[in-house]
């Protein structure tokens, strides 16, 4: 059991670190523009979050779906089939990133207005347009770094996966400082810094395949529609789960822009940055366990699957409670990292204890979603992901302040995650792991 625990830890830490570093790009942009440009710039960066995280969520379908297929095929010794799934996932991610780059750069203004920018001051809207345009220009390295990180980790090099994301995050931090403070480039500098940081991460991650360190290879393969369908099917729950971030950001931006104006959006900007980092930690645990679940499923080891699921629940429960308590204890110092504005500090410090309480059921929901799709219970996983990511969360944010009053707006995420957790418990209890067929279907 001790050896199994060490194996799980070996996968979890790099996955958590890699996702944390991936989300840190946007957070560091927020910190530097908040301190170097002002509270309006902080809100402007947040206006771009719905589209940016939407792009990341949609593209996550391919590496996470592909990783599940690769893990199951590797578990039963089908190396050729695993490599085919890997290359198809890479190709789909590249195609999606090009398409989303074009959309983000051509329709920047309408996207910003749809995200709540139309109700904000002219200055904040202008900065939001500038930030989103230049951030979208780097969609290809942004999405490919995340994709490569997943496969490098699953191909036996979790440490390199983590290193690649660290190199990108450190590069982004230095360039944020350089472009915003000495060079005075504002939000445009922050967006360009993020893009250049992603490029450095891609270069590090590519070294794994160039040096042929694992079993996966960058090579031409035949593309079969069936493989694309399996990748998308396995990846939909992860994509829908990650849609939780853009849906939350979009709904809050729209409601707060209407109720509170610029200060409301700037306040949620701080909360959303903290939310994204917490989400990275909890999602990282789930993603780190995903290749192990897929491998045990391929080997038909029910006992191993159950043990790892229980481990994941325990880890995320402890981590989410710890994060919540730390944010309560250090609320004002944490908020001051982003901006010193007195009004922002007052509103955000009142909202943070209630808002962060939702992290606990959220962390458990992420484990349930990943476990179910890794064991081919895609319908149940989709139901949980769709519920928390789109339906219940958006309904709660839009309806709670109008039914109970604006003071309760920060309770909405806790309500949505709690309802979803009850649904997850029911679906897991009433479903069974699909019977292992003699002829493989993945």
């Amino acid at each position: 059991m001790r050896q199994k625990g060490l194996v799980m830890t070996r996968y979890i830490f790099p996955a958590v670190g890699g996702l944390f570093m991936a989300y840190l790009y946007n957070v560091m942009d927020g910190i530097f523009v908040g301190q170097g440009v002002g509270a309006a710039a902080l809100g402007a960066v947040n206006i771009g979050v719905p589209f940016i995280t939407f792009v990341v969520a949609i593209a996550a379908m391919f590496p996470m779906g592909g990783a599940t297929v690769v893990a199951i095929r590797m578990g039963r010794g089908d190396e050729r089939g695993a490599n085919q799934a890997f290359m198809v996932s890479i190709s789909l991610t590249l195609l999606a990133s090009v398409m989303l780059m074009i959309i983000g750069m051509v329709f920047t203004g309408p996207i910003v207005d749809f995200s709540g920018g139309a109700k904000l001051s002219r200055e904040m809207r202008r900065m939001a347009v500038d930030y989103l345009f230049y951030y979208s220009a780097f969609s290809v390295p942004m999405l490919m770094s995340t994709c490569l990180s997943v496969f490098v980790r699953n191909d036996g090099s979790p440490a390199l996966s983590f290193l690649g994301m660290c190199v990108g995050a450190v590069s982004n931090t230095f360039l944020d400082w350089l472009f915003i403070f000495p060079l005075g480039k504002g939000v445009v500098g922050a967006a360009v810094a993020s893009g250049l940081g992603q490029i450095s991460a891609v270069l590090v991650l590519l070294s794994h395949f160039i040096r042929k360190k694992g079993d996966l290879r960058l090579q031409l393969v035949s593309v079969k529609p069936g493989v694309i369908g399996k990748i998308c099917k396995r990846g939909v729950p992860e994509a829908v789960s990650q849609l939780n971030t853009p849906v939350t950001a979009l709904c809050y931006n729209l409601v707060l822009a209407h109720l509170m104006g610029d200060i409301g959006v700037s306040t949620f900007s701080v909360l959303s940055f903290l939310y994204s980092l917490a989400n990275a930690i909890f999602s990282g645990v789930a993603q780190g366990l995903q290749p192990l679940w897929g491998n045990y499923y391929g080997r038909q080891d029910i006992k191993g699957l159950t043990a790892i699921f229980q481990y994941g629940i325990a880890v995320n429960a402890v981590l989410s409670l710890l994060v919540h308590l730390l944010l309560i204890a250090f609320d004002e110092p944490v908020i001051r990292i982003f901006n010193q504005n007195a009004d922002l500090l007052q509103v955000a410090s009142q909202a943070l204890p209630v808002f962060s309480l939702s992290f606990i059921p959220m962390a458990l929901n992420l484990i349930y979603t990943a476990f179910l799709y890794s064991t081919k219970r895609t319908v149940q996983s989709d139901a949980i992901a769709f519920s928390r990511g789109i339906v219940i969360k958006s309904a709660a944010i839009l309806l709670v302040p109008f039914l109970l009053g604006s003071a309760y707006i920060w309770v909405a995420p806790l309500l949505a995650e709690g309802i979803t957790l009850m649904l997850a418990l029911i679906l897991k209890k009433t479903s069974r792991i699909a019977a292992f067929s003699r002829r493989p279907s993945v």
Side-chain angles (χ1 to χ4, degrees):
M1 183 63 191
R2 183 173 179 271
Q3 184 178 2
K4 186 179 291 186
L6 291 174
V7 171
M8 288 187 283
T9 302
R10 178 172 173 263
Y11 277 86
I12 285 175
F13 277 137
V16 170
L19 264 184
F20 191 87
M21 292 299 171
Y23 279 96
L24 198 59
Y25 287 91
N26 194 242
V27 174
M28 292 308 299
D29 286 353
I31 292 173
F32 278 99
V33 299
Q35 297 290 354
V37 185
L42 189 63
V45 170
N46 190 60
I47 288 295
V49 167
F51 180 74
I52 292 169
T53 50
F54 170 79
V55 168
V56 172
I58 295 301
M61 181 191 327
F62 307 125
M64 292 311 300
T68 301
V69 176
V70 167
I72 293 174
R73 291 183 174 184
M74 283 293 191
R76 64 170 185 248
D78 183 10
E79 188 173 314
R80 182 178 178 182
N83 205 77
Q84 181 189 48
F86 161 64
M87 284 306 303
V88 171
S89 299
I90 292 289
S91 302
L92 290 172
T93 303
L94 183 60
L95 178 62
S97 63
V98 172
M99 293 175 59
L100 292 167
M101 176 187 68
I102 295 172
I103 293 172
M105 295 182 73
V106 173
F107 301 103
T108 312
I111 291 172
V112 166
D113 289 339
F114 179 75
S115 301
K119 293 183 177 292
L120 302 176
S121 65
R122 181 177 299 180
E123 178 191 15
M124 185 179 285
R125 184 189 179 279
R126 177 187 60 79
M127 288 191 289
V129 170
D130 290 342
Y131 180 78
L132 183 59
F133 178 85
Y134 285 97
Y135 203 102
S136 298
F138 292 93
S139 293
V140 173
M142 175 179 69
L143 299 181
M144 288 306 299
S145 66
T146 304
C147 178
L148 291 173
S149 176
V150 170
F151 285 109
V152 169
R153 182 178 68 242
N154 287 20
D155 198 29
S157 296
L160 181 63
S161 173
F162 178 52
L163 176 64
M165 302 309 289
C166 283
V167 168
V170 171
S171 300
N172 174 54
T173 301
F174 170 73
L175 292 171
D176 266 333
W177 169 82
L178 178 66
F179 289 148
I180 292 174
F181 287 100
L183 300 181
K185 297 300 181 181
V187 294
V188 172
V192 173
S194 293
L196 295 177
Q198 298 282 10
I199 291 174
S200 65
V202 169
L203 295 176
V204 173
L205 295 168
L206 280 174
S207 68
H208 171 82
F209 302 105
I210 294 173
R211 294 183 296 164
K212 300 181 179 180
K213 287 291 185 179
D215 297 318
L216 300 177
R217 297 286 183 267
L218 292 172
Q219 61 186 29
L220 294 176
V221 297
S222 59
V223 178
K224 298 179 180 179
V227 176
I228 297 176
K230 288 171 183 176
I231 290 171
C232 293
K233 180 180 179 181
R234 303 291 175 234
V236 163
E238 177 65 21
V240 175
S241 181
Q242 290 202 27
L243 280 174
N244 177 67
T245 301
V247 168
T248 300
L250 176 62
C251 292
Y252 262 122
N253 283 345
L254 292 173
V255 172
L256 290 170
H258 175 74
L259 294 177
M260 303 172 66
D262 286 12
I263 189 64
V265 174
S266 295
T267 298
F268 178 66
S269 179
V270 174
L271 300 184
S272 69
F273 289 139
L274 297 174
Y275 170 87
S276 66
L277 292 180
N279 182 66
I281 295 172
F282 311 139
S283 293
V285 173
Q287 288 190 19
L289 295 176
Q290 178 271 323
L292 298 176
W293 280 321
N295 193 272
Y296 276 103
Y297 185 88
R299 289 156 47 186
Q300 306 184 12
D301 186 348
I302 299 294
K303 186 177 179 180
L305 282 169
T306 303
I308 296 174
F309 170 75
Q310 293 172 345
Y311 180 86
I313 288 291
V315 169
N316 261 12
V318 172
L319 286 176
S320 59
L321 179 60
L322 182 61
V323 170
H324 173 61
L325 293 176
L326 287 173
L327 289 176
I328 291 177
F330 302 101
D331 54 350
E332 289 196 12
V334 169
I335 295 166
R336 288 183 186 276
I337 293 174
F338 294 91
N339 194 262
Q340 308 287 333
N341 183 278
D343 293 336
L344 175 62
L345 183 64
Q346 180 183 1
V347 177
S349 61
Q350 292 174 350
L352 185 56
V354 177
F355 185 82
S356 63
L357 191 59
S358 68
F359 295 173
I360 299 174
M362 175 185 78
L364 303 181
N365 286 330
L366 289 168
I367 293 293
Y368 276 99
T369 302
F371 177 69
L372 290 172
Y373 78 68
S374 295
T375 52
K376 291 189 177 182
R377 286 177 281 183
T378 311
V379 173
Q380 291 84 354
S381 182
D382 285 346
I384 297 171
F386 191 76
S387 170
R388 72 175 292 268
I390 299 177
V391 180
I392 299 178
K393 180 66 69 68
S394 59
I397 295 171
L398 294 174
L399 294 177
V400 164
F402 295 101
L403 295 177
L404 303 178
S406 59
Y408 290 90
I409 189 170
W410 307 115
V411 180
L414 175 61
L415 178 64
E417 295 287 357
I419 294 173
T420 302
L421 180 57
M422 289 189 287
L423 174 64
L425 290 168
I426 294 171
L427 290 176
K428 181 177 182 297
K429 187 175 182 179
T430 56
S431 66
R432 294 289 181 270
I433 296 178
F436 296 112
S437 60
R438 294 185 179 182
R439 294 184 64 186
S441 61
V442 174

